[in-house]
Amino acid sequence: MPNFTDVTEFVLLGLTSCQEFQVLFFVIFLVVYTITLLGNVGMIILISISPQLQSPMYFFLSHLSFVDVWFSSNVTPKMLENLLSETKTISYVGCLVQCYFFIALVHVEVYILAVMAFDRYMAICKPLLYGSRMSRIVCVRLISVPYVYGFSVSLICTLWTYGLYFCGNFEINHFYCADPPLIKIACGGVHIKEYTMIVIAGINFTYSLSVVLTSYTLIVVTVLRMRSAEGRKKAFSTCGSHLTAVTLFYGTLIFMYLRRPTEESVEQGKMVAVFYTTVIPMLNPMIYSLRNKDVREAVNKAIAKANVGQ
């Protein structure tokens, strides 16, 4: 029988053990985190004060930015602390809390991306019905589902994580508490956690991605039937930013969570995790602002208004 040990804290091995790289990584990720906060909070404020950004698309975009702020804040501050600390520990309770919010926010984000794809489908394929079908009340209901579902599913998943047992190895080969490296060092309760992680991730990624792919298939069919070249260009331009965000987020998460946790997959997943926990939340505001004419115009008007006020 395994000799189970009571665990009070874990050691996060982080990205590297080299002291010189740790200082460099601290500076890089501090800059990235600052840009993430400024970009996403700025996007939320811009959408709330700009009359031309009061459509459902930007309502959903403001929630994507809100989730990105919390998604990055759940991981980055502890990572920055450990980069300059010698102990690099996280309490057992803190680890479970981090797992809970990470899983919840991942599910919320994938379904917000699915809702945004459905919104683009309604706007392009059903323009005459768009105003009535995507009313404010409908939008609030659509955005509420990802939050309720994401935090509910995460509670179940975290309880299964709580069911893992450990036998003295408390070193997590990661820079935050994630299911795959926790499963790798556990010596009890592993099979049910591993199975449920893959099944739940597979079901949710497949379902949400199928909404995205179905919506964009119908959008492409509709756009190709348009006689106006200008209309086709405008339709594709409104979808380009969202497709870029979907590709980046889904691609990295599928690589991380739809594989069995092995030493190699955990090490590779650590590098990929840097991308979707820190880089993607920073890139999303840039993607939507640089490739979106309405957002660029709203930024210019806000800057002009601020200059006039001075």
Side-chain angles (χ1 to χ4, degrees):
M1 293 292 292
N3 184 19
F4 298 138
T5 308
D6 290 334
V7 56
T8 57
E9 64 180 16
F10 293 102
V11 176
L12 294 168
L13 297 182
L15 293 171
T16 179
S17 58
C18 180
Q19 189 65 35
E20 292 77 10
F21 282 146
Q22 286 182 0
V23 175
L24 175 63
F25 283 156
F26 175 84
V27 174
I28 292 173
F29 289 121
L30 179 61
V31 171
V32 170
Y33 183 54
T34 303
I35 295 173
T36 299
L37 293 181
L38 293 175
N40 284 288
V41 172
M43 181 67 77
I44 294 170
I45 295 172
L46 182 67
I47 291 171
S48 66
I49 65 174
S50 301
Q52 67 267 43
L53 300 182
Q54 298 307 305
S55 66
M57 179 175 71
Y58 299 108
F59 172 75
F60 297 133
L61 178 56
S62 68
H63 279 273
L64 181 66
S65 293
F66 175 77
V67 172
D68 276 341
V69 168
W70 289 105
F71 190 60
S72 182
S73 298
N74 183 48
V75 172
T76 309
K78 187 63 180 178
M79 177 179 67
L80 292 174
E81 177 191 334
N82 285 344
L83 282 170
L84 296 184
S85 172
E86 292 185 3
T87 56
K88 305 184 189 305
T89 58
I90 184 170
S91 68
Y92 179 70
V93 174
C95 185
L96 289 180
V97 170
Q98 195 174 61
C99 281
Y100 173 72
F101 281 103
F102 181 84
I103 296 169
L105 293 169
V106 165
H107 281 90
V108 172
E109 181 142 347
V110 295
Y111 280 107
I112 286 179
L113 290 171
V115 169
M116 291 175 75
F118 175 74
D119 171 71
R120 291 299 80 210
Y121 158 74
M122 290 297 298
I124 295 171
C125 301
K126 309 286 184 181
L128 299 179
L129 299 174
Y130 184 67
S132 59
R133 295 285 179 85
M134 298 297 290
S135 65
R136 187 71 176 182
I137 295 176
V138 172
C139 290
V140 170
R141 289 174 179 172
L142 282 173
I143 204 63
S144 298
V145 172
Y147 286 103
V148 174
Y149 178 78
F151 281 91
S152 300
V153 168
S154 182
L155 179 60
I156 298 171
C157 294
T158 306
L159 288 174
W160 278 320
T161 303
Y162 180 73
L164 292 174
Y165 296 96
F166 302 90
C167 300
N169 180 13
F170 303 142
E171 292 186 340
I172 301 175
N173 186 18
H174 219 293
F175 57 90
Y176 70 93
C177 281
D179 281 342
L182 278 172
I183 292 171
K184 190 70 183 65
I185 65 172
C187 57
V190 171
H191 297 298
I192 185 171
K193 176 60 185 176
E194 183 179 314
Y195 176 76
T196 53
M197 181 191 74
I198 295 174
V199 169
I200 290 177
I203 290 173
N204 286 290
F205 291 163
T206 301
Y207 182 73
S208 57
L209 190 57
S210 67
V211 173
V212 174
L213 294 177
T214 301
S215 298
Y216 275 103
T217 299
L218 296 172
I219 287 171
V220 169
V221 172
T222 301
V223 170
L224 292 178
R225 289 176 178 174
M226 292 180 178
R227 295 181 179 180
S228 168
E230 184 66 25
R232 288 196 296 270
K233 182 180 178 182
K234 184 178 180 180
F236 279 128
S237 67
T238 61
C239 298
S241 302
H242 182 249
L243 276 174
T244 303
V246 167
T247 302
L248 290 173
F249 196 71
Y250 276 88
T252 52
L253 283 177
I254 289 171
F255 183 84
M256 176 79 173
Y257 282 95
L258 294 186
R259 301 188 301 166
R260 294 187 71 252
T262 62
E263 196 69 43
E264 183 182 4
S265 68
V266 167
E267 192 65 35
Q268 292 172 348
K270 190 164 58 172
M271 297 298 106
V272 175
V274 171
F275 196 68
Y276 67 73
T277 57
T278 60
V279 178
I280 291 179
M282 178 190 69
L283 290 179
N284 277 343
M286 299 180 186
I287 291 170
Y288 282 98
S289 59
L290 293 175
R291 301 192 60 173
N292 191 296
K293 182 180 177 182
D294 292 336
V295 174
R296 292 199 303 270
E297 290 179 355
V299 170
N300 292 333
K301 288 181 180 179
I303 294 173
K305 189 175 180 179
N307 290 335
V308 170
Q310 293 177 352

